[in-house]
Amino acid sequence: MPFVARLAGHGNRPAVVQDGVAVTYVELARRTAEVARRLGPRRRLVAISGGRDLGTLVSYLGALAGGHAVLLASDGEQVPAEVLRTYEPDVVLRGAHDDWRLEERHPGPVHELHPDLTLLLSTSGSTGSPKLVRLSHGNLQANAEAVAESLGIREDDRAVTTLPWHYCYGLSVVHSHLLRGATLVLTARSVVDACFWDLVRDQQVTCFAGVPHTFDLLERVGFSRMHLPHLRYVTQAGGRLGPEKVRHWSHVGRQGGWDLVVMYGQTEATARMAYLPPDLAEARPGAIGVPVPGGAFRVEPVTESGAVESREPAGPDVGELVYTGPNVMLGYASSPADLGLGRTVHELRTGDLGRRADDGLYEVVGRRSRFVKPFGLRVDLGRVEERLAAEHGLVACCVGTDSGLAVAVEGGADPARVRTAVAAICTGLPVRAVQVHAVDALPRTCSGKPDLRAVQAMAAGGPAPAAGAEHPVDRSGPVDQPGEPIRQPGRADPARLRDLYAELLGRPDATEDHSFVDLGGDSLSYVEVSVRLEELLGHLPAGWHTLPVRDLAPAARPDRAGRPGRVVETSVLLRAVGIVLVVGTHAGLFTLLGSAHVLVALAGFNFARFQLTAAPRAERVRHQLTSVARVVVPSVAWIAGALLLTDLYSPANLLLLNAVVGPDSWTTQWHFWFVEVLVWLLLLAAALTAVPWADRLERRFPFGFTALPLGVGLLARFDVVSLGIGPLHLHTRPVLWLFALGWAAARARTVPQRLLVTAVAAASVPGFFDDPRREALMVAGIALLVWAPGIRCPAGVARAAAVLAAASLHVYLTHWAVYPHLADRSPLLAVLASLAAGVAYWAVATPAVAAAERALERRRVRAARPGRGR
């Protein structure tokens, strides 16, 4: 290997940094030579296991330097037993921190090894298949040079190891940087670990690599707000990152002074075949770019059917991408006999459907084969089906995308058992990314083959996953504030947290792999769950509602010693304060108007947080409608009782239509105007995001999309357009713009975006009521949503705020029946009694609604099963 032989030529430059200690290139070359000497002069098959540490790196480079054929095993694990049985390596090297151990398994080579064979990597490592890719020293050298040239790697670059080395993408980072005399900063820490970012800053890291899942984690830890002055670029490969995310991260990089480089590759081409020049990322986020130096693509027409998953209709310019270049593998190995073969492959048929655009950039529009890459793990769907049959006796059909798998299984199999089996087969795939559908018989085409499209349709509307076990990619959770060390509270294990979710959300099927959002949590249940979690874990991280249960305990941290009270989320505190101000003003205890309209903005804020998830469109719509029902059911139940027992209301109130057909002047029929406004705004937002083009735009431009509802709302706010919905009273004047402002506040991630939302609020609220005090309160509330994620309060205030926020809807409903009887005697008593009555109604109504939801879900699942209802 030329780049290995030339290590010493880089002199005393730092080659590796581990635990703050630098190892020079001269010293690395010396250690590498020692491993080569220990392995001996006879060429052998060497299996290597270990982590991202100096000992493993030295073992690997030493085996290459000695001219041996290397088989890289999984990160931090033993060599897989199936691979050991199949290939019988002569030697096993095990790296550990800065040391290594050698295990002789055969005194001499037992296989015939082709002279060009240098490295064996798994082509479908997530399935544990013994099928390996055969790579030559020429493949490795050529791709290292191509990657180094594409990225402009310099000797002063410092790359941190974010990916395992048995994965071709992670290994190519090692090769390309050692080639140029750059420095590798070794760590096995996750990007969600605060200590990882301390290391990045301390070592002045200039670049790192990530798969799509990495960028999900970066979103959680607030990476876009970090100050990393030495960072030059971030690369992305290992699966498709959606165009909206490419555009987002490219923009974040441009603001932070670094480039996003989207790359495309496969193990069969030694990692990377194409890259998208960073200056084109925002303009062409859906493209894979141009071939790396020395490589070339052609688009070969597809004559037979087989495009299982295509993101758009195939046209005459779409075909299979075929790659040629010096980095294309020698071929595959399925048995030891294949290790003696020379080149059997001269070009790589990628299995991807693509085209060359007019600007010369290549695009991938779908898959031709049955491989998918959820979480950056290449999964052979056919292999999963074969192993389910061979090892578990299950007849199954698998489909999938880059976001997960769906498995239909015959014979009424237990979904939990199947999910456990799939997780064991696809090592590294989170169970939350697997749906299992037990069916009486697999849907089949007229030719008798499993009907993949029918299974895909089933997956699109399938029920929530049942209990199962997980082997996740990364079990560590995000920190609340980047740069602060993670401390383990140790007050609750994942099983206890799972039980808490099951109890509070009425979901007995909750698992440690579900998040609050996965289980249908919304703004009404958010408060109670967050408070109970804080009692168990301490201060919760930002975005905790999107984390799996098992990630919560590692991510949470107690409040710092010596600081009294607890941090309460601003949205929770605003709900609690808002409902107190509403009741207090109505009861005559004080007069502070405007809080109800702050709660309208808060409704938009919570809609964006809890309803606009990453779930498929159909699932998002179902979740949104369920959330609306949680408002409608207790409201209509209370109004129905009041309608029967008093003469204060009309049937229009029961139908939540008083704003449309109610009286022009203020009467008791306007008591529930806020509930009506809330319900119709939520339905309007759900209808908008249910439209396919709007759904796509919202996912691609989450902040920019808010300009659509905000623009329409502002036109109504300033009477440019009329909604034409009836005798609008002062309280129900068009408030869509306030809802949209809250929505935008939730989506604002950067300082300029937050400033823009604040400026729009400050410009649009004044004059709405011609009451400066009322309007100032509205602007202040929206500004708090934008700028203050949490506010520290005394512990007693925090507990009271949590209860009042959770019960705020119910307090609003019931207070009309309570305070009029007490306000003349004591306004304070009237307020306290109203709050107590609302909390009591909340305590009764919430479990009843949850029980009804569970019953309806069971009926829906039964009705969705094949053979039912005929």
Side-chain angles (χ1 to χ4, degrees), residues 593-595 597-598 737-738 761 765 768-769 773-783:
L593 299 171
S595 57
H597 288 77
V598 174
W737 114 94
L738 289 173
V765 170
F768 186 63
F769 286 111
R773 186 182 181 191
R774 185 176 194 174
E775 292 156 359
L777 187 148
M778 293 166 60
V779 173
I782 295 170

Side-chain angles (χ1 to χ4, degrees), residues 19 62 79 236 246 292 324 375 383 503 518 530 614 663 668 713 770 844:
D19 296 337
V79 181
Q236 182 274 316
V246 171
V292 296
T324 55
F375 291 79
R383 176 77 177 171
E503 172 194 350
D518 291 337
S530 65
T668 56
D770 292 323
V844 172

Side-chain angles (χ1 to χ4, degrees), residues 313-343:
D317 59 338
V318 172
E320 183 176 13
L321 281 180
V322 181
Y323 177 82
T324 55
N327 50 318
V328 173
M329 65 176 177
L330 298 174
Y332 293 110
S334 298
S335 68
D338 297 331
L339 304 183
L341 297 176
R343 179 171 291 280

Side-chain angles (χ1 to χ4, degrees), residues 526-527 530-531 534 539 559 565-576 788-802 805:
Y526 178 83
V527 178
S530 65
V531 170
E534 284 178 341
H539 187 43
D559 284 326
R566 291 211 330 244
V567 174
V568 180
E569 282 198 28
T570 301
S571 63
V572 172
L573 198 59
L574 285 176
R575 282 174 66 178
I791 298 173
R792 184 169 291 277
C793 301
V797 172
R799 285 191 292 270

